[in-house]
């Protein structure tokens, strides 16, 4: 079980390309990829910057921008969802018409606000995080956006909350969308429960499934401690999702990799 230390929190982070840049053959330069909100696995910084400046920032909701800027000042800011991924989630949720949703791993709430802005006024997000303080950093921006009423925040580890939900039959097959962005060593535990809580045809997004590109590094390659620690879990998740016939999947190289799973049985 992860603890609330910066290290443990960073372990669940959306990692930057900094690590990859420090790895074998990936180039020497410290790039803009390593800055907050400039995270991508794209090999060209210019191309990523182009996407942000052309299509993302000009269309970013002002409260999302505010929340992103508040987050940038926080010491664990590498964990935040990037602006392009936030835009992706927002559009995705509208496309699937999600109404009842869940988020595991809130941090300061960038993906949470992207979700809250996408769902209808009577839509709901059950948001879970072991850390309430960080959520409260972003909360003023969420309130300003007029969407805080859609959010029910639960402080504490997510797994017991899922088990509690499962005790109530009416929760089974009731969620349209779940964004999983917390402790990677629990993803498979979450998955087993979510396969009962999400409706058939509903969607689960697992974040950071490319784990800073480390999934293709040799085991003895230099890696940050938290990258190395969670790498095996991410490799295991990716294999398990690919082999799971309860879902159709699509792994996208957005942000740090997001695997979309549509429940089919
Ligand atoms: N989606 C967020 C980023 C989440 S970072 C965003 O858009 O900014 C990962 C978060 O998972 C951290 O805030 C961490 O506190 C939380 N976390 C770690 N272990 C957890 C657990 N067992 N249950 C719930 N949240 C957890
Ligand atoms: Ca993430």
């Amino acid at each position: 079980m992860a603890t609330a230390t910066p290290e443990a929190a960073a372990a669940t982070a959306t990692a930057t390309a900094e690590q990859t840049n420090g790895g074998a053959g990936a180039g020497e330069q410290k790039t803009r990829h390593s800055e907050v909100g400039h995270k991508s696995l794209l090999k060209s910084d210019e191309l990523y910057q182009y996407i942000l400046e052309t299509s993302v920032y000009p269309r970013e909701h002002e409260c999302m921008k505010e929340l992103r800027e508040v987050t940038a000042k926080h010491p664990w800011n590498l964990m935040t969802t990037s602006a392009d991924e936030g835009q992706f989630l927002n559009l995705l949720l509208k496309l699937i018409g999600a109404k009842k949703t869940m988020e595991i791993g809130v941090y300061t709430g960038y993906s949470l606000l992207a979700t809250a802005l996408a769902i209808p006024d009577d839509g709901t997000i059950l948001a879970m995080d072991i850390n309430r303080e960080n959520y409260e950093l972003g909360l003023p921006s969420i309130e300003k956006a007029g969407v805080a009423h859609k959010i029910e925040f639960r402080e504490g580890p997510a797994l017991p909350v899922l088990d509690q939900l499962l005790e109530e039959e009416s929760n089974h097959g009731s969620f349209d969308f779940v964004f999983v962005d917390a402790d990677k060593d629990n993803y498979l535990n979450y998955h087993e429960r979510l396969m009962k809580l999400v409706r058939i045809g509903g969607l689960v997004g697992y974040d950071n499934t490319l784990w800073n590109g480390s999934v293709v590094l040799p085991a003895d390659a230099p890696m940050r401690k938290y990258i190395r620690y969670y790498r095996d879990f991410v490799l295991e998740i990716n294999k398990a999702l690919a082999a799971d016939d309860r879902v159709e999947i699509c792994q996208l190289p957005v942000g740090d990799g997001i695997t979309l799973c549509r429940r089919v049985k």
Side-chain angles (χ1 to χ4, degrees):
M1 181 67 65
T3 55
T5 62
E7 289 76 18
T12 61
T14 298
T16 70
E18 203 180 340
Q19 179 64 29
T20 315
N21 289 340
E28 297 297 310
Q29 84 277 33
K30 263 213 163 184
T31 68
R32 280 193 280 186
H33 278 160
S34 63
E35 291 171 25
V36 176
H38 295 258
K39 294 176 299 184
S40 170
L41 296 169
L42 267 185
K43 288 297 174 200
S44 160
D45 275 355
E46 289 70 26
L47 205 47
Y48 183 51
Q49 203 60 31
Y50 175 82
I51 294 171
L52 290 175
E53 282 167 13
T54 310
S55 306
V56 180
Y57 292 151
R59 304 299 299 264
E60 189 182 31
H61 190 288
E62 60 177 325
C63 299
M64 299 274 292
K65 180 169 190 271
E66 184 187 274
L67 198 156
R68 182 163 56 79
E69 287 170 353
V70 166
T71 305
K73 296 183 197 124
H74 189 263
W76 307 346
N77 57 28
L78 96 163
M79 297 202 299
T80 189
T81 296
S82 60
D84 54 317
E85 185 173 0
Q87 186 183 54
F88 169 70
L89 288 172
N90 181 274
L91 186 60
L92 179 70
L93 283 154
K94 287 173 182 163
L95 287 171
I96 67 171
K99 194 168 172 189
K100 184 172 174 182
T101 74
M102 196 193 294
E103 176 165 298
I104 303 178
V106 168
Y107 182 44
T108 59
Y110 194 80
S111 56
L112 184 64
L113 182 52
T115 305
L117 287 167
I119 62 177
D121 200 52
D122 60 345
T124 57
I125 313 168
L126 177 58
M128 288 162 264
D129 203 296
I130 49 176
N131 183 313
R132 179 187 285 273
E133 246 174 74
N134 294 334
Y135 166 62
E136 285 175 352
L137 266 183
L139 191 53
S141 307
I142 295 174
E143 282 165 349
K144 201 191 272 184
V147 291
H149 63 281
K150 303 177 191 179
I151 298 166
E152 181 191 341
F153 181 83
R154 296 252 189 109
E155 184 181 9
L159 206 56
V161 179
L162 299 188
D163 283 332
Q164 198 190 328
L165 288 173
L166 281 168
E167 284 170 21
E168 186 77 56
E169 191 66 36
S170 63
N171 290 320
H172 289 225
S174 71
F175 286 85
D176 302 311
F177 177 80
V178 182
F179 186 53
V180 182
D181 192 15
D183 42 342
K184 312 310 167 203
D185 43 344
N186 260 321
Y187 272 28
L188 286 180
N189 292 325
Y190 295 141
H191 186 60
E192 280 318 305
R193 286 148 181 91
L194 293 176
M195 283 302 99
K196 299 191 181 94
L197 291 167
V198 170
R199 67 174 168 81
I200 290 176
L203 198 64
V204 184
Y206 291 99
D207 202 35
N208 302 92
T209 58
L210 293 173
W211 203 229
N212 198 33
S214 70
V215 289
V216 293
L217 289 180
D220 60 356
M223 283 175 235
R224 280 189 186 178
K225 223 169 146 187
Y226 77 89
I227 294 284
R228 177 175 305 286
Y229 179 75
Y230 286 97
R231 181 175 170 270
D232 285 348
F233 292 104
V234 176
L235 290 169
E236 190 189 3
I237 295 152
N238 289 337
K239 267 196 199 159
L241 295 180
D244 190 338
D245 66 0
R246 293 170 298 181
V247 288
E248 293 172 338
I249 67 166
C250 180
Q251 186 171 28
L252 295 167
V254 174
D256 191 31
I258 176 168
T259 303
L260 301 179
C261 300
R262 178 175 175 264
R263 185 180 170 200
V264 289
K265 63 176 169 187

